[in-house]
Amino acid sequence: TEHPILQEVQVRQAIAHAINRKELVALLMKNHARLATGIFPPEHAFHTSIRNPLHSLESAAQLLDEIGFPLEESRRLRIRLATTNDKEQIRLARLVADQLARVGIEVTVTPQSQGKFWQALKSGDFDLAVVQERIHGDPDFLHTLFHSHQTPEKGGRNFTRYRNLELDSLLESGRHEQNPAQRMAVYQQVQRLLLEELPHLPLWHENNLAFVSKRVSGYRFHPTGDFHAFRTLRVN
């Protein structure tokens, strides 16, 4: 959000409209994923169903026209998209680049080793980035991702360098609120504000799949897909 072009919220909104998440899920995940309707998946206690910007090339083009990025020789602007050198992440980045090109946003995909990629995030040496984020049980992890005082220079993971005093106040309130209903209301506001400002765009939530032998009993699938199920598992 410190980028001279991407700091404009209308540009971020145009990018969100231009990205066809349904197409990405079909091509990359074979539809074994759910389009994100917010930061948290539906089974999460703090899930708030908020519709992400609908895929609309017309809306994307209109926004870019309105803020002074007309289409000239098939291009409106040029940005970089950073990713790791994982082949699936590269494929995702290139598909996103192809989608953005449809509205005149020229994207250069820059694959890097895992170490260099995270260093780029920490130093701010990127325009856009593809990041796979693990969703935690407690929503307080949003504090380290989006609070103004949680930029990498200060030891946090606010790689977007997003700064919003209203959001800061909500995040601080959320981590100290004891009343469950009021805490839920706080994080609903957090999610709505992030959707309006779009420092990041949730794409999808992967479906965790488990293949269990018929010789196994007591397997209880855990939403995180980790090994909690092994506590009750028995081999017959």
Side-chain angles (χ1 to χ4, degrees):
T1 55
E2 293 180 337
H3 188 278
I5 295 175
L6 297 174
Q7 66 181 349
E8 300 291 341
V9 67
Q10 294 95 329
V11 174
R12 303 199 296 269
Q13 291 170 344
I15 289 173
H17 280 303
I19 293 177
N20 187 340
R21 297 179 302 128
K22 186 175 181 179
E23 180 181 72
L24 295 177
V25 167
L27 293 173
L28 294 169
M29 306 301 297
K30 307 302 181 185
N31 290 319
H32 288 299
R34 296 154 293 169
L35 296 184
T37 56
I39 295 174
F40 303 106
E43 61 271 16
H44 196 283
F46 283 83
H47 170 72
T48 300
S49 183
I50 304 173
R51 179 177 291 181
N52 281 330
L54 295 175
H55 172 58
S56 172
L57 298 182
E58 294 77 12
S59 297
Q62 182 178 348
L63 279 167
L64 293 171
D65 284 335
E66 289 175 355
I67 58 176
F69 292 101
L71 187 63
E72 297 177 354
E73 298 182 359
S74 301
R75 189 177 72 200
R76 297 174 186 272
L77 54 95
R78 179 184 296 168
I79 53 178
R80 300 171 299 161
L81 175 55
T83 181
T84 67
N85 52 17
D86 175 84
K87 64 179 182 180
E88 291 302 319
Q89 295 293 84
I90 293 174
R91 189 180 177 209
L92 167 58
R94 287 175 175 167
L95 286 170
V96 168
D98 179 67
Q99 292 180 351
L100 296 183
R102 299 170 194 172
V103 292
I105 300 177
E106 182 179 309
V107 178
T108 301
V109 176
T110 58
Q112 304 168 70
S113 68
Q114 191 80 17
K116 289 184 177 180
F117 173 73
W118 286 105
Q119 186 56 45
L121 292 183
K122 291 177 182 178
S123 66
D125 186 20
F126 69 99
D127 301 339
L128 297 179
V130 175
V131 178
Q132 188 171 12
E133 190 69 51
R134 181 180 176 89
I135 301 300
H136 299 265
D138 193 277
D140 185 59
F141 80 97
L142 297 177
H143 185 276
T144 191
L145 292 181
F146 298 110
H147 195 283
S148 298
H149 295 164
Q150 292 295 315
T151 57
E153 295 81 8
K154 297 180 180 180
R157 299 181 66 243
N158 182 1
F159 300 124
T160 66
R161 274 76 176 172
Y162 180 61
R163 293 176 173 85
N164 184 310
L165 294 180
E166 180 183 357
L167 184 71
D168 288 352
S169 178
L170 287 169
L171 292 171
E172 291 163 10
S173 175
R175 67 174 7 189
H176 295 112
E177 179 59 59
Q178 299 297 313
N179 182 287
Q182 293 181 13
R183 194 164 190 251
M184 171 66 81
V186 167
Y187 284 106
Q188 286 177 340
Q189 293 181 63
V190 166
Q191 293 175 74
R192 291 191 182 97
L193 185 54
L194 289 173
L195 182 62
E196 292 172 5
E197 293 285 309
L198 288 172
H200 80 142
L201 176 67
L203 297 177
W204 64 74
H205 302 295
E206 293 185 14
N207 293 337
N208 289 320
L209 306 177
F211 296 88
V212 183
S213 168
K214 292 181 179 179
R215 297 187 300 116
V216 170
S217 63
Y219 182 88
R220 296 179 182 178
F221 191 82
H222 194 273
T224 61
D226 60 19
F227 296 105
H228 281 78
F230 278 47
R231 295 176 179 176
T232 57
L233 186 146
R234 298 288 183 274
V235 179
N236 301 322

